[in-house]
């Protein structure tokens, strides 16, 4: 079963249980993102910033250049371990980790959650590639993939028991749009997969296929 088939099941089950009022708040939030300039801004970036560091699960700060040390790197920006869509996506990439490595690519996952929560997410999903904390969304913001929660959305997240202040260690009330970046060792961006609807994700097999195709054509 494809990743998005599994995600659709989560969506169908979730919307069948929630009220129309809550469903409207969630769908309105997605539409607001689609109506904005987020995707245009994000896709305009040609390289990762070189002055950023991320925290590993032990709380150690590591320069991004040291993290992205493979010829090609797949960086999965996920919302957090509280997100069932993200957990499925993390596991889907782990299932193809050997194939990505054969293609010369490492995989890393990045979220704004504090290292203690990132460590829990890695263990919970039994993923064997590294996960990192982008504290206060410093990297994600420079890439243009962050947004502030509207008051109605913030209220619903609180109602769901998702305490972003605790998980992120700040009061920014900020989330990322899930995005996958294919990046070279020199931090140049090869391709971006971005969808404002967090209930949809690019298939990891598609990212792998694109990587292989671009290599075959000599484009990277």
């Amino acid at each position: 079963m494809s990743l998005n088939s599994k995600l659709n099941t989560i969506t169908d089950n979730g919307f069948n249980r929630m009220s129309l009022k809550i469903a409207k708040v969630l769908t309105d939030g997605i539409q607001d993102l689609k109506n904005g300039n987020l995707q245009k801004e994000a896709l305009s970036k040609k390289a990762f910033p070189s002055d950023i560091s991320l925290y590993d699960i032990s709380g150690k700060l590591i320069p991004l250049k040291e993290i992205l040390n493979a010829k090609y790197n797949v960086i999965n920006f996920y919302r957090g371990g509280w997100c069932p869509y993200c957990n499925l996506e993390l596991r889907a990439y782990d299932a193809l980790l050997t194939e990505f490595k054969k293609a010369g690519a490492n995989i890393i996952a990045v979220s704004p959650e504090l290292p203690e929560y990132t460590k829990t997410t890695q263990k919970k999903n039994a993923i064997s590639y590294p996960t990192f904390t982008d504290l206060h969304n410093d990297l994600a913001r420079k890439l243009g993939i962050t947004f502030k929660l509207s008051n109605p959305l913030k209220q619903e997240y609180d109602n769901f028991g998702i305490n972003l202040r605790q998980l992120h260690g700040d009061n920014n009330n900020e989330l990322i749009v899930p995005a996958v970046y294919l990046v070279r060792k020199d931090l140049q961006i090869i391709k971006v997969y971005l969808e404002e609807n967090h209930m949809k994700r690019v298939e990891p097999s598609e990212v792998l296929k694109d990587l292989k195709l671009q290599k075959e054509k000599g484009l990277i």
Side-chain angles (χ1 to χ4, degrees):
M1 183 182 293
S2 69
L3 171 60
N4 278 286
S5 294
K6 296 176 181 178
L7 299 181
N8 289 340
T9 298
I10 294 178
T11 299
D12 291 342
N13 291 338
F15 275 82
N16 284 337
R17 292 196 302 267
M18 71 177 62
S19 69
L20 292 177
K21 178 183 177 182
I22 296 174
K24 187 176 187 306
V25 170
L26 298 180
T27 55
D28 283 353
I30 292 170
Q31 192 58 51
D32 286 344
L33 287 174
K34 288 182 177 292
N35 292 340
N37 292 320
L38 186 146
Q39 185 159 155
K40 181 179 179 180
E41 180 184 351
L43 295 180
S44 70
K45 311 296 183 183
K46 302 302 180 186
F48 270 32
S50 60
D51 59 344
I52 288 289
S53 296
L54 303 176
Y55 289 89
D56 67 12
I57 58 174
S58 71
K60 181 181 178 181
L61 194 60
I62 304 177
L64 190 60
K65 283 187 173 182
E66 293 183 17
I67 296 171
L68 305 183
N69 56 13
K71 188 172 184 180
Y72 310 111
N73 301 272
V74 177
I75 303 97
N76 176 16
F77 286 88
Y78 70 101
R79 304 197 307 162
W82 51 268
C83 172
Y85 299 93
C86 296
N87 290 320
L88 278 176
E89 182 184 33
L90 290 170
R91 296 196 290 270
Y93 276 99
D94 193 72
L96 287 176
L97 181 58
T98 299
E99 295 302 313
F100 274 103
K101 285 188 175 295
K102 287 180 180 178
N106 281 349
I107 299 175
I108 73 165
V110 179
S111 86
E113 292 192 315
L114 296 173
E116 61 190 282
Y117 300 110
T118 302
K119 183 177 182 179
T120 299
T121 298
Q122 187 178 45
K123 183 178 181 180
K124 175 177 66 176
N125 290 290
I127 56 176
S128 48
Y129 54 85
T131 55
F132 294 90
T133 294
D134 176 23
L135 192 63
H136 310 313
N137 279 317
D138 286 347
L139 173 58
R141 193 176 302 107
K142 288 189 176 184
L143 293 172
I145 59 172
T146 63
F147 67 96
K148 292 277 189 181
L149 289 177
S150 66
N151 287 334
L153 265 177
K154 178 181 176 298
Q155 183 61 57
E156 294 305 335
Y157 275 73
D158 287 342
N159 293 340
F160 289 144
I162 302 168
N163 188 337
L164 296 181
R165 295 174 294 281
Q166 177 180 327
L167 294 169
H168 296 175
D170 59 40
N171 294 311
N172 293 340
N173 292 316
E174 189 177 58
L175 281 180
I176 59 170
V177 170
V180 175
Y181 283 77
L182 186 55
V183 181
R184 294 197 317 235
K185 188 175 183 179
D186 63 1
L187 303 185
Q188 295 299 303
I189 296 172
I190 299 170
K191 192 163 184 177
V192 183
Y193 306 85
L194 179 68
E195 171 57 64
E196 294 98 332
N197 184 351
H198 65 272
M199 295 177 282
K200 303 289 184 182
R201 308 291 167 98
V202 61
E203 294 287 342
S205 57
E206 181 182 334
V207 179
L208 179 61
K209 181 180 177 181
D210 284 349
L211 172 61
K212 291 179 177 179
L213 184 61
Q214 293 208 48
K215 287 179 63 180
E216 289 172 3
K217 291 184 176 181
L219 299 176
I220 55 176

